[in-house]
Amino acid sequence: MELRTRIFTPEEARRLNPLQLAFLGDGVYELFIRGYLLGNNTALNVHKLHKEAITYVKAHGQSEIIKAIEKELTEEELYIYKRGRNAKSATVPKNADVTEYRFATGFEALVGYLYLIDNEERLSFVLNKSLDIISRN
């Protein structure tokens, strides 16, 4: 069974709405974080794993990640991130600051883009850097 859907060309992925990229990126990032937490905390119950995951996946954390790695992004990655950051979302969650939420949406768009084009090297870089940054904060 193939877990991945089709791979997009960079041109196809660029044509997607940045909120579509963020929609996918949110899921990819959450799955990565959940796998990381479970792999390193097998003694924790699901409630505690969930509470720990929230610190990684909330808008504030994602905003901090993208700010920290922005200078290390390629020109293409920066373009995708900025498209996501500047996309107008219909709603902003009550518990999120609007500015942080936009930065987080840009981060998620970047993750979704890298996943869709199957750029494992850069996706791994972004995801692993996120662990370092959140762990430091």
Side-chain angles (χ1 to χ4, degrees):
M1 178 174 110
E2 182 72 27
L3 293 177
R4 176 181 281 284
T5 56
R6 78 180 179 99
I7 295 171
F8 285 61
T9 66
E11 295 75 27
E12 289 173 320
R14 280 177 69 119
R15 285 194 298 265
L16 291 172
N17 181 303
L19 296 177
Q20 291 173 313
L21 295 173
F23 167 77
L24 182 62
D26 177 55
V28 170
Y29 183 64
E30 180 139 358
L31 182 60
F32 172 77
I33 292 300
R34 286 179 178 210
Y36 167 77
L37 291 174
L38 184 60
N40 291 290
N41 301 284
T42 56
L44 291 181
N45 66 38
V46 173
H47 178 71
K48 288 180 180 174
L49 285 167
H50 176 72
K51 289 187 82 74
E52 184 68 20
I54 289 170
T55 64
Y56 287 86
V57 300
K58 65 183 179 179
H60 175 74
Q62 292 178 350
S63 175
E64 293 300 311
I65 293 163
I66 198 66
K67 288 176 191 174
I69 67 170
E70 189 174 356
K71 288 183 172 75
E72 299 179 68
L73 299 179
T74 67
E75 188 176 316
E76 177 71 6
E77 292 165 349
L78 195 57
Y79 171 77
I80 296 296
Y81 153 66
K82 286 181 178 179
R83 280 188 62 219
R85 183 194 64 195
N86 296 333
K88 301 293 184 230
S89 178
T91 59
V92 174
K94 287 181 255 177
N95 62 343
D97 169 86
V98 174
T99 303
E100 286 183 336
Y101 184 73
R102 295 226 169 143
F103 277 87
T105 302
F107 170 78
E108 291 171 346
L110 174 61
V111 170
Y113 174 79
L114 293 172
Y115 177 83
L116 281 177
I117 66 168
D118 200 31
N119 189 335
E120 290 182 21
E121 180 182 333
R122 290 302 289 173
L123 181 58
S124 180
F125 167 78
V126 169
L127 295 177
N128 286 310
K129 283 290 244 185
S130 73
L131 294 176
D132 295 340
I133 293 160
I134 296 296
S135 297
R136 278 187 273 145
N137 294 339

